[in-house]
């Protein structure tokens, strides 16, 4: 699933071709992708609105529109957004198409069809419950400590909880826990001050690295232009089961927690 760095990479690539463009129409052949409107209502409400800004919140793409509405897209498992000339062939897994005023279109391809499209006058109705943005200035070790305090859950599932911290998914949770030296089964309220500081730094490190490398092309993720990111070549533990830890040479182990595969070094992570 695209996580914070993959969605951020997508946002950055879409700003150039989309900001200032007006959406003239929408087509869709998979109604469940549209959460807030049926297709007719979406066309009526969205048509004629200009895209003024594109930002990211957690794993959501957030399009601010000239009419005051916000278009929000979640890529979920396999979603991919690209801008293409309207007269070029569409991939068979393109289900939603936003026609633009310049002969091009924004295409939402989604093989597994778990992606979601929202249009709302109040973005908080979709985004309001999310935890803090880990790369925002307002997120600090103190904020992390306060959020861990009193939590009995294991660290891995807690990091995946979007209400605890926004944007971290399976890849970056495993990577962050490795750099912090924390076992994925550790109880949140058992972390020491040093471990909290190390976890804060590790979250910053892996997400920043992921953005610099333009995402991890593991499974289906590619950039909007179809090219691959590079983070898959820089992972320390994720899907390196049985391979030597880069720090201590111990084989990386895989366990399943809450039905998510989890990778860690049994020597480096306590
Ligand atoms: Zn190790």
């Amino acid at each position: 699933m695209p996580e914070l760095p993959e969605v951020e990479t997508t946002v950055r690539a879409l700003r150039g071709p989309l900001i200032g463009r007006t959406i003239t129409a929408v087509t869709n052949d998979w109604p469940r992708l549209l959460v807030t409107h049926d297709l007719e209502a979406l066309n009526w409400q969205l048509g004629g609105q200009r895209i003024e800004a594109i930002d990211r919140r957690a794993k959501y793409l957030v399009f601010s529109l000239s009419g005051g509405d916000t278009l929000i897209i979640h890529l979920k498992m396999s979603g991919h957004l690209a801008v293409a000339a309207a007269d070029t062939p569409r991939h068979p897994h393109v289900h939603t198409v936003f026609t633009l005023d310049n002969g091009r279109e924004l295409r939402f391809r989604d093989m597994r069809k778990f992606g979601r499209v929202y249009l709302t006058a109040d973005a908080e109705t979709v985004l309001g419950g999310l935890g803090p943005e880990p790369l925002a200035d307002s997120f600090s070790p103190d904020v992390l400590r306060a959020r861990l305090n009193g939590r009995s859950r294991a660290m891995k599932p807690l990091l995946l909880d979007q209400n605890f911290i926004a944007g971290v998914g399976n890849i970056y949770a495993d990577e962050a826990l490795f750099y912090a030296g924390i076992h994925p089964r550790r109880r949140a309220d058992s972390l020491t001050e040093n471990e909290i500081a190390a976890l804060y730094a590790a979250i910053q490190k892996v997400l920043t690295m992921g953005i610099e490398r333009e995402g991890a092309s593991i499974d289906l993720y590619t950039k909007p232009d179809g090219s691959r990111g590079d983070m898959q070549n820089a992972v320390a533990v994720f899907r390196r089961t049985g391979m030597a830890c880069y720090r201590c040479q111990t084989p990386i182990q895989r366990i399943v927690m809450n039905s998510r595969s989890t990778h860690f070094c049994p020597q480096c992570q306590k």
Side-chain angles (χ1 to χ4, degrees), residues 32-162:
R32 271 212 314 246
L33 293 178
L34 309 180
V35 180
T36 54
H37 294 66
D38 64 26
L39 185 58
E40 187 183 2
L42 190 64
N43 265 287
W44 188 83
Q45 183 69 24
L46 186 57
Q49 294 207 53
R50 191 176 60 250
I51 299 170
E52 305 212 308
I54 311 174
D55 296 292
R56 180 194 54 73
R57 175 75 172 103
K59 303 176 195 172
Y60 294 84
L61 293 104
V62 180
F63 300 74
S64 300
L65 303 172
S66 56
D69 288 330
T70 306
L71 174 71
I72 301 173
I73 298 179
H74 198 305
L75 303 174
K76 292 283 177 138
M77 299 297 289
S78 60
H80 178 269
L81 288 165
V83 179
D87 58 2
T88 56
R90 288 179 190 162
H91 190 283
H93 293 137
V94 168
H95 296 296
T96 310
V97 175
F98 302 86
T99 306
L100 305 171
D101 59 352
N102 63 345
R104 297 171 74 79
E105 54 193 28
L106 173 63
R107 296 173 175 176
F108 188 15
R109 183 180 87 206
D110 192 356
M111 187 180 79
R112 300 185 59 183
K113 298 186 246 192
F114 291 119
R116 291 294 179 261
V117 176
Y118 310 77
L119 183 68
T120 176
D122 180 6
E124 286 298 293
T125 59
V126 180
L127 308 173
L130 292 164
E133 278 295 321
L135 296 180
D137 291 341
S138 55
F139 185 68
S140 64
D142 286 342
V143 171
L144 180 61
R145 181 188 309 108
R147 297 184 78 78
L148 290 165
N149 187 30
R151 296 274 198 148
S152 60
R153 286 173 71 188
M155 281 310 303
K156 174 67 187 286
L158 189 59
L159 288 177
L160 297 183
D161 181 345
Q162 297 299 296

